[in-house]
């Protein structure tokens, strides 16, 4: 075993679609999330898979210290990053840089799946552990967002 690998960390980790790294079920009301790459080190990336069963998405917000990258696996999503609008389909990706307001929503008619990566992880894993306890989209409480180094800026995108 090399010096850089520890007995606590495998050299590879295979996870099936929808599977959570820790084998847990995490709900956000209209969607579920599965932790794919998580770490105890806030300077490393954090990646999750978000599966939507209904239309909608999170509130408009910004991250003080994280760039947020999206990769659409299934379905159609609309995004606003700063003043720009985007419509993403499977295979499309988008980067929302730190400190830039953004909001997004699933708008498909069936199921939607998207990978979301945070660079660095910061407090994002803790945020999702907290908000999934209620099995609802993150609350419109600015305090919960601020304690996790984000700013709540407005409501979710309206979807028809």
């Amino acid at each position: 075993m090399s010096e850089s690998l520890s007995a606590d960390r495998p050299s590879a980790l295979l996870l099936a679609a929808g599977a959570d790294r820790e084998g847990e079920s995490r709900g956000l009301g209209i969607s579920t999330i599965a932790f794919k790459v998580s770490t105890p080190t806030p300077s490393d990336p954090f990646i999750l898979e978000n599966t939507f069963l209904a239309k909608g998405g999170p509130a408009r917000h910004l991250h003080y210290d994280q760039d947020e990258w999206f990769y659409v696996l299934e379905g159609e999503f609309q995004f606003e990053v700063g003043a720009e609008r985007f419509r993403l389909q499977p295979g499309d990706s988008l980067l929302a840089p730190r400190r830039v307001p953004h909001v997004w929503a699933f708008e498909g008619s069936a199921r939607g799946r998207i990978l979301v990566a945070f660079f660095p992880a910061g407090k994002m894993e803790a945020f999702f552990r907290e908000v999934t306890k209620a099995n609802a989209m993150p609350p419109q409480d600015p305090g919960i967002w601020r304690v996790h180094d984000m700013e709540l800026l407005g409501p979710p995108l309206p979807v028809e």
Side-chain angles (χ1 to χ4, degrees):
M1 182 180 250
S2 78
E3 297 274 334
S4 64
L5 297 177
S6 74
D8 297 335
R9 186 172 177 165
S11 60
L13 176 65
L14 173 65
L15 292 172
D20 184 271
R21 179 181 176 154
E22 298 164 3
E24 296 182 15
S25 177
R26 305 173 202 282
L28 288 169
I30 62 171
S31 69
T32 60
I33 60 171
F35 290 1
K36 294 299 188 178
V37 176
S38 58
T39 176
T41 308
S43 60
D44 287 337
F46 171 56
I47 303 172
L48 60 85
E49 179 181 352
N50 198 179
T51 302
F52 285 82
L53 303 174
K55 294 179 181 188
R60 184 178 307 274
H61 63 282
L62 64 77
H63 301 265
Y64 294 123
D65 300 315
Q66 286 77 40
D67 294 322
E68 188 171 6
W69 178 78
F70 305 90
Y71 182 85
V72 176
L73 299 167
E74 185 177 351
E76 292 185 20
F77 292 81
Q78 63 175 304
F79 283 80
E80 290 182 11
V81 178
E84 296 182 82
R85 292 178 174 223
F86 306 92
R87 185 171 307 269
L88 275 65
Q89 297 182 6
D92 293 340
S93 69
L94 179 67
L95 178 69
R98 64 191 75 193
R99 298 189 177 269
V100 176
H102 58 281
V103 63
W104 55 277
F106 171 59
E107 61 180 13
S109 58
R111 181 174 86 157
R113 287 188 314 126
I114 190 168
L115 288 177
V116 183
F118 301 92
F119 303 96
K123 297 179 181 177
M124 294 312 301
E125 184 174 340
F127 175 75
F128 285 109
R129 286 186 187 282
E130 179 65 29
V131 299
T132 55
K133 290 177 184 176
N135 190 22
M137 290 304 286
Q140 301 289 308
D141 175 356
I144 290 173
W145 295 72
R146 211 170 284 123
V147 78
H148 293 98
D149 296 335
M150 293 180 283
E151 193 71 33
L152 177 64
L153 300 172
L157 279 177
V159 288
E160 297 175 14

